Amino acid sequence: MSTKTISAPKSHIPKVGMISLGCAKNLVDAEIMLGDVIARGMQITNDAADADVLIVNTCAFIDSAKEESIEAILEAHQTKGLKKRRKDQKLIVAGCMSQRFSNDLAGEFNGEVDAFIGLDQVKDVGGIIEKVLGRAPSHQLPVTSNVSLTDEAWEPLNLVTRKPVYIPDWDTPRVRLTPSHTAFTKIAEGCNHPCSFCVIPQMRGKHRSRTIESVVAEVRGLVAEGVKEINLISQDTTYYGMDLWAEKAGPRQPVDSARGVTLTRLLRELDKIEGDFWVRLLYTHPAHWSDELIHTIAECRHVARYVDMPLQHIHPRMLEVMRRETSSEHIENLITRIRAGIPGIAIRTTFIVGFPGETEEEFEYLLDFIERTRFERLGVFTYSQEEGSRAAKMDGQLPQKVKQARYKKAMKLQQRIAAEQSAAQVGKTIRALVDQPLVARGEVDAPDIDGRILLKKPAPVGEFANVRITGTQVYDLVGEVV
C-alpha cells in the first residue's frame, strides 16, 4: 500500500500498523480491527516507523505468551529498533492481555501506551484511533512535568469492558491476514468450561454462538472469493449452538439433549455450498462429541478428515483435578468410535505435563496412552501457573526442570511415532493444497501447526494438487506433483 506523505495536515490519511500475537482466534480479532480501519478510510502499513498508530494485539494464554506480549509492547514503543518512536505516533494495546490486565498495564506503561482496548472494542477501533489521534501524545509527557497523571490529556484511555459480549457477524468488515486461499471463521466466542488451569473464560466471557445463517453467509462469501480452506474456530467448536438451544427452549425447558446436534446442522449447511474447498474443524472438546457428529463428518464431502481435540491428560485423577468434565474411559471410547466411523481420519491433540501434583506414575500413564493410541498429530505444553486459575493455588507445584524433563520425554516419544507414520506415507498419492510454490499441505494438516509437504518442483499457489510422497523429514513429507 502506498506510503506517500500528504502535505496538507487536514487531508492526511492516518496509517495504521498491526502486530498480532497468539492464536487464530486472536488473528480474527486483528482482521476485524483492520477491517474497521479501512472502513473509516484509513490506510494499513507494514512499516512500523511509517505508522501514525501502532496496534499490538496481545496474548495472555500462558506465561511465555505474556512475556512475548510485553516484549512486543516495548518493541513497538521503540518502533522496531529505532531509538525512539515519532513524537506524534500513537500506541494502542489490544487483545487478551489488555482485556485481562488493562488496569495493571495502564500503570506500568503510563507515558508509553495511549489506549487499552478489549474484545468488545475490536469492531470500533477506527473510531478509537480517531479519538486517540485527537488527544495529546501521552509518551511526550516530560519527566519533570507538573501535569498530574490523572489528567485526561496524559492518562492512557482504558476502554476495556470487564465481561465481553461481542461476536462478529458475516458482514463485519475484515482484512484477512491469511493467504488468499485459506481463512479462519470464528463461529463462537467465549467459554463455559471450568478447567482449573485456564483463565480464558475470565478474559473472553461466556460462550456465545453466531447463528447458522451468519456462518453460512460468511463461508459462502469466502468460497466465492476463491478460498479453498475454511478453518472453523472458537474456544470449543463442539459447544457451538448449545447456548442458542438454551435460549430457544427457555428457562423451564431442558436444553436439547442431542449433543453436537447444532454443530452437525451447521456442517451439513456448509456442505451444501458449491465449490471445491475444505472445512476444517478446530478446537473441539471431548465432552461434547456425539455419534451424530461422527456420522456427519464422515458423510460431508467438504469436511476435512481431521479432528483437533485437545485432551490435556488421560490419567483419571489428573482429568478430575483439571476439571475436564470427561473420564479416561469416555476419551478412549470416543477415539475408537471416531476412528471407526471416519475412515482416514487424523486426530490432533495436546497434553499438559507437569500439572500440580502430577506424579511420575501418572506421567508414565500418559506416555503409555500416547504409545498405544498413536495420534497422527500431537503437541505438548508444560504447565503454566496462571494467576486467577484454580490450579495456581494448588499444592504440589512442580519445579520447572521436572516439567521440562517430562516435556522432552513426551515429545521424543511422539517424534518417533510421527516419523513412523510419515514413513508409512511414502509411495502414496495425497490431495494437497499448495501454500507456497514449493510447499503444500494435505487434508490432515492444519495451517501453521502441523506438518508440510515439501515439493520438488513449483506448483500453482492456492490450488489443489495430487502429490506423490517420495520421502520424509520426520514431521514433514517430501513429494512431487503428479
Side-chain angles (χ1 to χ4, degrees), residues 187 212 215-216 240 262-270:
I187 64 174
I212 287 179
V215 177
V216 170
Y240 171 78
T262 305
L263 178 61
T264 63
R265 285 173 47 208
L266 173 62
L267 293 178
R268 291 192 183 278
E269 289 300 316
L270 294 177

Side-chain angles (χ1 to χ4, degrees), residues 91-365:
L91 179 59
I92 296 176
V93 175
C96 287
M97 192 169 187
S98 182
Q99 178 69 47
R100 186 179 176 196
F101 299 114
S102 61
N103 290 333
D104 296 334
L105 293 173
E108 184 175 347
F109 288 103
N110 192 20
E112 299 172 3
V113 176
D114 295 275
F116 294 92
I117 63 174
L119 302 177
D120 279 344
Q121 289 76 49
V122 294
K123 68 183 186 306
D124 302 317
V125 75
I128 294 170
I129 287 173
E130 291 174 350
K131 184 173 183 179
V132 166
L133 287 173
R135 301 175 83 229
S138 65
H139 60 279
Q140 292 186 47
L141 178 64
V143 176
T144 57
S145 172
N146 292 322
V147 178
S148 170
L149 292 180
T150 60
D151 191 309
E152 196 276 337
W154 300 113
E155 188 178 67
L157 291 173
N158 188 348
L159 304 174
V160 176
T161 50
R162 288 298 98 196
K163 296 181 179 180
V165 297
Y166 172 70
I167 51 173
D169 205 348
W170 68 272
D171 57 353
T172 301
R174 279 172 62 183
V175 174
R176 284 199 291 116
L177 300 174
T178 52
S180 61
H181 57 276
T182 185
F184 292 102
T185 293
K186 187 185 290 189
I187 64 174
E189 181 59 275
C191 183
N192 289 359
H193 289 293
C195 301
S196 61
F197 53 82
C198 185
V199 293
I200 286 177
Q202 299 174 33
M203 291 187 289
R204 290 192 169 262
K206 293 183 178 181
H207 181 97
R208 46 205 187 273
S209 302
R210 293 170 59 183
T211 64
I212 287 179
E213 293 76 14
S214 174
V215 177
V216 170
E218 178 179 327
V219 173
R220 183 177 285 113
L222 290 169
V223 172
E225 293 175 13
V227 175
K228 295 293 196 297
E229 179 181 49
I230 312 293
N231 298 280
L232 302 184
I233 61 172
S234 71
Q235 301 303 324
D236 173 11
T237 51
T238 36
Y239 201 94
Y240 171 78
M242 291 187 181
D243 55 320
L244 301 180
W245 275 105
E247 291 175 5
K248 184 177 180 180
R252 296 187 179 181
Q253 299 297 323
V255 176
D256 192 282
S257 60
R259 293 191 164 217
V261 64
T262 305
L263 178 61
T264 63
R265 285 173 47 208
L266 173 62
L267 293 178
R268 291 192 183 278
E269 289 300 316
L270 294 177
D271 204 50
K272 296 176 184 178
I273 298 174
E274 294 298 324
D276 189 11
F277 62 95
W278 287 333
V279 173
R280 190 181 301 279
L281 198 59
L282 299 176
Y283 308 114
T284 73
H285 192 292
H288 306 306
W289 273 79
S290 67
D291 287 336
E292 184 178 2
L293 179 56
I294 294 171
H295 296 155
T296 297
I297 294 173
E299 294 169 3
C300 288
R301 60 193 174 111
H302 288 309
V303 179
R305 273 38 180 175
Y306 176 97
V307 168
D308 172 43
M309 183 169 61
L311 297 176
Q312 313 306 3
H313 217 285
I314 191 60
H315 190 277
R317 192 186 75 84
M318 283 287 100
L319 290 173
E320 183 178 354
V321 295
M322 286 181 173
R323 304 186 69 179
R324 287 292 291 164
E325 304 175 301
T326 55
S327 66
S328 56
E329 292 81 6
H330 170 83
I331 291 171
E332 297 213 36
N333 177 263
L334 175 59
I335 292 171
T336 299
R337 286 158 47 212
I338 290 174
R339 284 179 165 168
I342 313 173
I345 193 73
I347 300 177
R348 175 180 176 82
T349 192
T350 54
F351 292 110
I352 296 173
V353 297
F355 190 81
E358 182 190 47
T359 66
E360 190 66 32
E361 179 184 3
E362 289 164 341
F363 172 64
E364 290 294 333
Y365 190 96

